[in-house]
């Protein structure tokens, strides 16, 4: 659990598009708890978990670059979120009773299914966020541009965290 907390703590949330890692050379490492875990060879073997949400959005959490002490959270949507490529703004996310926030970076991308996605990612370094992520069942993400925000079910995140740990271990990290 320490690794996901380190990653997630390092990771913070937001909105974006399809699969940042897939477009940059990610390969599937495994699956756990309803999440797929990937290793991004283009980023030194960085590992992250991904889940497709009921509305078609793609949520990712993990290492931005292998061996760094921070990570990322990203949310990509096939619907127009009003936040995309080149946009810089803020995102807030509610995990349990705590609101976190940070600078969001917009991204447009194409998913593995050929669909266009928009949204963004956020990078952070907050240990309490990682603890909250692994001990809650859902998180809400707000950008100020999405009415009502996006709810991210976190079911299975602990199993995904263990698989991310195995992924990191497979590269000797």
């Amino acid at each position: 659990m320490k690794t996901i907390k380190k990653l997630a703590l390092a990771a913070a949330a937001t909105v974006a598009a399809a699969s940042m890692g897939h477009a940059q050379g990610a390969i599937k490492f495994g699956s756990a708890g309803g999440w797929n875990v990937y290793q991004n060879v283009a980023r030194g073997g960085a590992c992250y978990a991904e889940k497709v949400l009921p509305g078609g959005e793609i949520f990712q959490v993990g290492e931005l670059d292998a061996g760094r002490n921070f990570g990322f959270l990203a949310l990509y949507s096939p619907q127009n979120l009003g936040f995309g490529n080149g946009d810089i703004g803020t995102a807030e996310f509610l995990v349990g009773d705590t609101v976190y926030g940070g600078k969001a970076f917009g991204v447009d991308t194409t998913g593995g299914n050929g669909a266009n996605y928009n949204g963004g990612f956020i990078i952070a370094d907050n240990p309490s966020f990682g603890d909250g992520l692994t001990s809650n069942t859902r998180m809400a993400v707000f950008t100020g541009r999405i009415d009502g925000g996006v709810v991210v079910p976190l079911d299975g995140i602990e199993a995904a965290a263990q698989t991310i740990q195995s992924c990191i271990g497979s590269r000797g990290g």
Side-chain angles (χ1 to χ4, degrees), residues 49-146:
E50 176 180 282
K51 185 175 197 172
V52 178
L53 306 181
E57 301 92 354
I58 298 172
F59 178 72
Q60 299 173 334
V61 59
E63 298 178 291
L64 186 59
D65 292 301
R68 308 280 293 274
N69 282 333
F70 59 84
F72 76 96
L73 281 162
L75 180 65
Y76 307 100
S77 178
Q79 286 78 42
N80 183 357
L81 297 175
F83 190 83
N85 207 37
D87 289 340
I88 298 176
T90 59
E92 291 184 330
F93 41 102
L94 177 65
V95 181
D97 295 328
T98 306
V99 176
Y100 299 90
K103 189 180 233 181
F105 301 91
V107 178
D108 290 342
T109 189
T110 302
N113 61 0
N116 293 321
Y117 291 80
N118 70 104
F121 66 95
I122 192 168
I123 301 167
D125 186 5
N126 186 334
S128 64
F129 175 71
D131 294 337
L133 191 67
T134 58
S135 63
N136 283 280
T137 59
R138 63 187 177 157
M139 172 178 67
V141 179
F142 305 92
T143 67
R145 299 183 190 186
I146 305 172

Side-chain angles (χ1 to χ4, degrees), residues 3 7 19-31 35-50 60-67 72 160 162-173:
T3 298
L7 300 175
S19 201
M20 181 167 61
H22 297 352
Q24 299 175 339
I27 56 173
K28 189 170 181 181
F29 180 83
S31 297
W35 296 73
N36 289 319
V37 174
Y38 296 92
Q39 189 169 54
N40 191 333
V41 294
R43 292 201 166 268
C47 301
Y48 67 94
E50 176 180 282
Q60 299 173 334
V61 59
E63 298 178 291
L64 186 59
D65 292 301
F72 76 96
Q162 291 173 356
T163 305
I164 288 173
Q165 231 171 349
S166 296
C167 179
I168 290 169
S170 76
R171 66 166 195 256

